Amino acid sequence: MSTLEVGKGLDAVFSPRSIAIFGASDDVTKIGGRPLQFLLKYGYQGAIYPINRKAGTVQSLQAFATLHELPETPELALLAVPPQGVLEALRDCAVRGVRAAVVLSSGFSEMGEEGAKLQALMGLLARDSGMRVVGPNCLGSIGVPEKSIATFSVTLESALPTPGAVGIVSQSGNLGSYTMRLAAERGMGISRLLTTGNECDVDVADGIAALAAHPGTSVILCCMETCRDGPKFMQALALARDAGKPVVLLKVGVSDAGRAAAASHTGALAGSDEVFDAVLRHGGAIRVPSIEQLLELGHAISVVGPDRLPEGHRVAVVTASGGFGILLADAATAVGLELPRLSAATQDRVLSMVPFASPANPVDMTAQVSSKPELLHGVLSAVAQDPACDAIILQSANAFFMPRLKDVYFEALRRVREEVPGKLVLLSTRGPRDVIAQLNQMGYPAIEGIDAACATLAGLVGAGARRPRVTPVPATKLDPLPAAAFANEAAAKLALAEAGLPMLCERVARSLGEAVSAAKETGFPLVLKIVSPDIPHKTEVGGVVVGVRNEDELAKAYRELLARIADKAPAARIDGVLVAQMAEGGTELILGAKNDPVFGPVVMVGLGGIFAEVMNDVALEIAPVDDAGALAMLRSLRSFPLLDGARGRPKADVQAAASAIAALSRFAAAHADRVAEIDINPLRVQDAGKGAHVLDALLVAKSKETE
């Protein structure tokens, strides 16, 4: 599916001019009765056509025995019939030219093989006819401003949400409707709700793309369990990012990233959930771990608006208590926010108003702010105007419960908003519901709890940082990969070298004489390695000898190496012995690429030794990346200071390492049809200006099971 088609046709789901309801019922407790009740109750303005075999009237409306009896073609069909009748009803809709259908009925892929076959036929019908089909086994959809209700959710029995700018997409119907109800309780206005269920046609990606194109939606909340079409999902995220509409996503059912990998370190380090994280970063979405944070961050974005999101992670903390300041500083640092020291001019302004204040950051106004609340505006204004910070957290434990202080805070916040309209101020506070609503209306998110406030601000920073359009890295055309490239280390290195990865001088020897000749080309010291398609991990069987410094040592090491292999791996096929120039010094990296079954090729880097495997310090990105993207991956590692000259170490040639990562990513993307995994362990990175070299490499071919 192309980018232009993602989300296509869902206007007929959210804002149809007419709706037909298959299985319409007078009984409002039934799935076929409740949507009709809601449409009538909340004043849907389009035509409603109940379809019931008995015809007559349903909930006071004229009913029709079949779709073909309707006086016009409805834009949307709502199906609440037994599963065996769904396909026939959909065929009737396709013949009549219905633009979209929502299948509330269950009994399909969730019930086993027969149901899955029926669901597959529904998907084929949708694709062949061009009619968009939501579901089956879903809770349906709502276009809130249009009062277009295609759901039987009990959350609508009490009230329809207030129209607003928050769109919700969820695979789970109950999770989606629950999110909508909690959002409405927090005062969030809702634009659309889409629950996709089994996704025979319309999926989460379609929902995100449709909301990205909807003028009335400014933030998208998404709850998902799985992704069925990775490229389509990434296209939808790109559409939302380019439209400036943050996507806040909760993924449930996180898979075990530590599951066994067959042949390489890459498979273990690049688990499916880590790949999903990389997809979200690439697409500019913000992932949250809980429904509470989904709502908190979504609400904060809707309050702030997409144009006032902070562009950096530097935060100033302003409080009337030193203890609260320390708590906030700790919590902010824990979520990746930085507390810079405020300028000398700002500190002087603060001290001129509150001589006993702590002005550096956190800014402790002391308890004087309670006895002289007029100081609040002066301090807050001074901090807000300091270019050292991108956002402010203002903490208050009790002010908004006290009428005298509440009014002072409101006046100070009003004036600061006028003076520094672009500077975000987030409040860590509690207060009566109506007071919090007033703060929100002024553009101030008010978050209860220290940790929650800092996590929300970090999310707002993430949303702001993801606004710029990401320029795609163009694909590279490479020569077809020969089957021999998968044979052994030497063949893998040859293929990677042709793609631009840096290699040392090395030769494959099939006799001691050839090894001696190869040594004359490589020079001493050198390394010997067994070359075999059956031995991916050579050190485990004694298949590597390092530090060979002359011909005598070479002869001895060559014979002993073959003897060990004959003893420990007698069945292994031997293609020779690799005679390689020895690299000394430098820092080791692990590089890898993996062809994810859902999202395609990803590239991975981590520092060698315990850092990548034990400390799980790796960076992943969707392939291909350019040199700048690869350098950003390196800088994101917790262990990057070891490459950057920490504690007197020489700086590593990170530019050379970045170029190797980028070349690997291009290779992985170009050969995604053939390569399942690539493992480079290690890449030896020398001191700055001296380059980097691949010391070992493994290519794993895609099997029929992974295709």
Side-chain angles (χ1 to χ4, degrees), residues 285-364:
I286 306 108
R287 187 175 184 179
V288 292
S290 67
I291 194 168
E292 290 79 14
Q293 288 192 31
L294 178 77
L295 291 162
E296 205 77 82
L297 181 53
H299 188 203
I301 293 173
S302 68
V303 167
V304 174
D307 296 331
R308 291 182 58 238
L309 294 170
E311 296 184 355
H313 66 290
R314 303 170 305 165
V315 58
V317 170
V318 179
T319 180
S321 162
F324 274 117
I326 295 169
L327 284 173
L328 280 161
D330 289 344
T333 302
V335 293
L337 299 173
E338 177 187 342
L339 273 71
R341 188 177 184 86
L342 299 179
S343 69
T346 298
Q347 294 188 52
D348 288 343
R349 286 181 64 186
V350 171
L351 291 173
S352 69
M353 293 176 279
V354 188
F356 299 104
S358 176
N361 194 15
V363 177
D364 176 11

Side-chain angles (χ1 to χ4, degrees), residues 222-585:
C222 180
C223 305
M224 65 184 297
E225 302 164 18
T226 188
C227 180
R228 294 179 172 88
D229 187 331
K232 181 180 174 184
F233 180 70
M234 290 190 285
Q235 289 171 7
L237 292 181
L239 289 172
R241 178 197 62 218
D242 295 344
K245 299 184 180 182
V247 176
V248 185
L249 188 143
L250 169 65
K251 186 175 186 292
V252 299
V254 175
S255 60
D256 182 7
R259 59 188 177 184
S264 77
H265 295 285
T266 301
L269 293 170
S272 60
D273 199 54
E274 285 82 359
V275 173
F276 189 76
D277 275 342
V279 166
L280 296 185
R281 286 195 306 272
H282 184 81
I286 306 108
R287 187 175 184 179
V288 292
S290 67
I291 194 168
E292 290 79 14
Q293 288 192 31
L294 178 77
L295 291 162
E296 205 77 82
L297 181 53
H299 188 203
I301 293 173
S302 68
V303 167
V304 174
D307 296 331
R308 291 182 58 238
L309 294 170
E311 296 184 355
H313 66 290
R314 303 170 305 165
V315 58
V317 170
V318 179
T319 180
S321 162
F324 274 117
I326 295 169
L327 284 173
L328 280 161
D330 289 344
T333 302
V335 293
L337 299 173
E338 177 187 342
L339 273 71
R341 188 177 184 86
L342 299 179
S343 69
T346 298
Q347 294 188 52
D348 288 343
R349 286 181 64 186
V350 171
L351 291 173
S352 69
M353 293 176 279
V354 188
F356 299 104
S358 176
N361 194 15
V363 177
D364 176 11
M365 299 180 292
T366 76
Q368 285 199 48
V369 74
S370 297
S371 58
K372 297 181 179 180
E374 64 275 8
L375 297 174
L376 174 64
H377 166 257
V379 172
L380 189 58
S381 178
V383 175
Q385 293 176 44
D386 193 317
C389 66
D390 302 299
I392 297 169
I393 297 178
L394 173 62
Q395 187 275 333
S396 175
N398 300 303
F400 293 104
F401 287 105
M402 304 171 64
R404 176 180 63 88
L405 286 179
K406 179 199 73 173
D407 293 341
V408 170
Y409 269 72
F410 268 107
E411 178 61 17
L413 291 168
R414 183 191 64 77
R415 292 175 64 185
V416 168
R417 182 68 191 276
E418 291 176 352
E419 294 164 356
V420 195
K423 185 66 63 78
L424 171 65
V425 179
L426 181 143
L427 279 75
S428 173
T429 191
R430 297 172 61 245
R433 179 172 293 187
D434 61 330
V435 173
I436 298 300
Q438 284 181 269
L439 290 169
N440 294 160
Q441 289 169 6
M442 294 171 64
Y444 290 102
I447 310 298
E448 182 176 341
I450 299 293
D451 292 337
C454 292
T456 300
L457 182 55
L460 291 170
V461 168
R466 288 161 168 78
R467 281 178 293 168
R469 181 182 178 86
V470 176
T471 302
V473 178
T476 301
K477 293 242 181 220
L478 298 176
D479 291 338
L481 194 63
F486 300 99
N488 53 49
E489 174 191 347
K493 283 181 172 178
L494 181 61
L496 291 168
E498 291 177 353
L501 278 98
M503 303 289 169
L504 292 168
C505 181
E506 58 184 38
R507 299 287 183 270
V508 176
R510 293 174 176 81
S511 68
L512 178 56
E514 289 186 7
V516 172
S517 297
K520 292 177 181 178
E521 294 183 46
T522 61
F524 293 99
L526 53 79
V527 176
L528 300 183
K529 298 182 183 181
I530 197 67
V531 180
S532 169
D534 303 318
I535 307 176
H537 301 302
K538 293 174 281 295
T539 56
E540 295 177 3
V541 293
V544 179
V545 181
V546 300
V548 178
R549 299 190 178 274
N550 53 54
E551 286 192 16
D552 290 339
E553 289 185 12
L554 172 60
K556 182 174 183 289
Y558 184 91
R559 295 187 183 97
E560 291 178 349
L561 173 65
L562 291 178
R564 280 195 300 273
I565 299 303
D567 177 51
K568 295 186 178 181
R573 293 166 290 173
I574 306 301
D575 294 334
V577 174
L578 190 67
V579 180
Q581 182 182 358
M582 182 172 169
E584 298 182 280

